[in-house]
């Protein structure tokens, strides 16, 4: 640009545009910060997050990821129940250092109900006795006035932070879609005029409540007014959720639809593949000797 006045104007304009963009960018970063910080306020309704967990190579990775989700989820109390004969060092240390208020319980699934490595993972129910131990703890160890929400959150799923605010509105029991489950992109209730009219499930659609464990939350008070409602080791595949909910409710339309009338996916039924460790046997000593992985 040969004309110095034109060059000056162009330079000033470019500086102005760049300045605006820069400020806009800084503004966005700041906004994101304020969205996620200081979320833990005790005036938020408390959620008890019930998580069964068991030892396997990827356990620490799953629980680490989950602990970061829960740190951002606001006012929660993590009821973590190990499928083991006693508390393990790995899980005890992890929850203690997570900064999340927690209760650590343990109960071992009897060997005849336990999956073997080669079994398809749907063969036997998972997390049943662990969730029941949490139910017992919640019924017996929380004050009668406790008006919290209870959510059964497996250690391998993926949770959007918005989900926790949705479930804080639970009166008796609330429900929402779950992504990547039941052979579908999304398994969800169909809502008509603000009420559940049916479900889109294709996997065992005749289940009374054809939804995943991640699809609902209940109020602690509802659990206490139905003191014998529990999960069971002896129900057909896919019937755990129905087994509990039929004891707590009389019909699916009693479920309160959340997540924009069940049109938004805020939780995904993700699964981590089993770690391939076949080369370990080529070492003279395990690669994790003396190292927690
Ligand atoms: C699906 C549902 O999403 C589960 O909530 C339900 O328990 C399960 O089916 C079932 O039908 O029993 P899926 O992904 O197949 O879940 O199960 P996992 O994620 O392998 O296990 C569910 C929870 O139980 C996890 O938190 C896991 O850590 C725990 N678990 C699993 C144990 O405590 N012990 C085990 O031996 C296996
Ligand atoms: Mn899972």
């Amino acid at each position: 640009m040969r004309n110095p006045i034109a060059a000056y104007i162009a330079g000033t304009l470019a500086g102005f545009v760049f300045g605006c963009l820069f400020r806009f960018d800084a503004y966005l970063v700041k906004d994101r910060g304020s969205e996620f910080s200081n979320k833990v306020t005790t005036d938020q309704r408390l959620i008890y997050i019930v998580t069964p967990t068991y030892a396997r190579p990827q356990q620490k990775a799953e629980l680490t990821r989950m602990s970061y989700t829960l740190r951002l989820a606001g006012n929660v109390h993590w009821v973590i129940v190990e499928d083991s004969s006693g508390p393990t060092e790995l899980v005890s240390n992890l929850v203690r250092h997570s900064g999340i208020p927690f209760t650590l319980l343990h109960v071992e699934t009897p060997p005849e109900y336990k999956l073997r490595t080669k079994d398809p993972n749907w063969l036997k129910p998972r997390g049943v006795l662990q969730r029941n131990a949490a139910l017992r703890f919640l019924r017996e160890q929380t004050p009668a006035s406790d008006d919290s929400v209870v959510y059964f959150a497996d250690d391998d799923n993926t949770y959007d932070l918005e989900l926790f605010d949705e479930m804080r509105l639970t009166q008796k029991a609330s429900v929402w879609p779950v992504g990547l489950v039941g052979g579908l992109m999304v398994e969800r209730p169909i809502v008509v005029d603000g009420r559940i009219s049916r479900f889109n499930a294709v996997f065992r659609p005749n289940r009374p409540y054809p939804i995943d464990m991640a699809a609902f939350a209940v109020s602690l008070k509802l659990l206490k007014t139905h003191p014998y409602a529990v999960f069971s080791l002896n129900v057909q595949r896919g019937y755990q959720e129905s087994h509990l909910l039929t004891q707590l409710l009389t019909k699916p339309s009693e479920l309160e639809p959340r997540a924009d009338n069940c049109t938004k996916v805020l939780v995904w039924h993700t699964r981590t593949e089993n770690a391939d460790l076949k080369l370990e046997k080529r070492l003279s000593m395990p690669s994790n000797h003396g190292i927690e992985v």
Side-chain angles (χ1 to χ4, degrees):
M1 226 175 272
R2 261 180 246 139
N3 183 339
I5 298 175
Y8 175 74
I9 294 171
T12 314
L13 256 177
F16 178 71
V17 170
F18 184 77
C20 286
L21 282 177
F22 181 76
R23 238 169 286 150
F24 183 56
D25 191 38
Y27 166 75
L28 274 184
V29 171
K30 192 163 148 257
D31 192 47
R32 222 175 287 150
S34 62
E35 190 184 330
F36 289 133
S37 62
N38 301 327
K39 268 199 92 182
V40 184
T41 53
T42 38
D43 49 333
Q44 254 181 339
R45 192 170 177 201
L46 179 69
I47 306 167
Y48 289 103
I49 303 284
V50 172
T51 304
T53 189
Y54 70 112
R56 75 274 199 197
Q58 56 274 23
Q59 182 182 33
K60 191 175 183 184
E62 308 274 30
L63 292 175
T64 298
R65 181 172 46 202
M66 181 148 189
S67 73
Y68 295 152
T69 298
L70 296 184
R71 274 174 72 155
L72 296 168
N75 196 19
V76 301
H77 183 107
W78 200 4
V79 183
I80 180 156
V81 194
E82 291 194 76
D83 186 347
S84 62
S85 59
T88 65
E89 227 177 276
L90 188 151
V91 178
S92 312
N93 286 338
L94 193 141
V95 283
R96 236 178 259 129
H97 292 125
S98 71
I100 305 157
F102 70 92
T103 298
L104 181 58
L105 307 171
H106 61 85
V107 54
E108 195 170 25
T109 305
E112 62 274 26
Y113 284 103
K114 198 91 184 152
L115 282 176
R116 277 164 303 212
T117 323
K118 292 266 157 61
D119 287 343
N121 79 326
W122 46 260
L123 196 68
K124 301 201 175 116
R126 279 133 283 148
V128 169
L129 298 186
Q130 293 70 30
R131 293 190 195 97
N132 284 349
L135 286 173
R136 184 169 174 186
F137 160 77
L138 290 168
R139 286 179 174 124
E140 293 178 1
Q141 306 286 327
T142 58
S145 59
D146 192 335
D147 187 31
S148 303
V149 178
V150 177
Y151 182 49
F152 302 101
D154 292 348
D155 60 4
D156 56 346
N157 294 337
T158 306
Y159 306 92
D160 188 307
L161 296 181
E162 248 184 74
L163 179 69
F164 302 100
D165 291 331
E166 289 289 322
M167 70 177 77
R168 286 198 168 92
L169 303 168
T170 304
Q171 288 162 15
K172 278 176 147 186
S174 52
V175 69
W176 44 78
V178 177
L180 315 178
V181 77
L184 303 179
M185 278 300 286
V186 53
E187 205 180 62
R188 69 182 191 95
I190 307 296
V191 178
V192 177
D193 295 333
R195 306 197 68 182
I196 309 287
S197 90
R198 60 190 182 86
F199 299 85
N200 78 337
V202 180
F203 169 70
R204 303 204 160 174
N206 294 330
R207 290 176 291 165
Y209 294 83
I211 57 176
D212 187 70
M213 199 67 73
F216 68 96
V218 296
S219 73
L220 179 56
K221 289 204 163 142
L222 182 71
L223 289 176
K224 286 183 177 170
T225 52
H226 299 78
Y228 302 109
V230 287
F231 295 98
S232 163
L233 284 170
N234 299 308
V235 300
Q236 281 184 63
R237 180 186 166 204
Y239 276 75
Q240 281 309 332
E241 300 81 357
S242 293
H243 185 76
L244 182 79
L245 288 169
T246 46
Q247 297 167 82
L248 296 174
L249 303 172
T250 53
K251 51 183 187 304
S253 60
E254 274 188 86
L255 287 166
E256 302 140 33
R258 303 249 47 105
D260 282 352
N261 280 323
C262 298
T263 60
K264 257 175 113 176
V265 175
L266 299 174
V267 56
W268 297 261
H269 183 251
T270 42
R271 278 183 181 160
T272 305
E273 71 170 347
N274 283 332
D276 174 359
L277 302 170
K278 60 179 178 295
L279 299 186
E280 279 288 342
K281 62 178 183 297
R282 295 214 201 151
L283 300 175
S284 54
M285 194 188 277
S287 62
N288 60 333
H289 180 77
I291 299 178
E292 189 181 87
V293 181

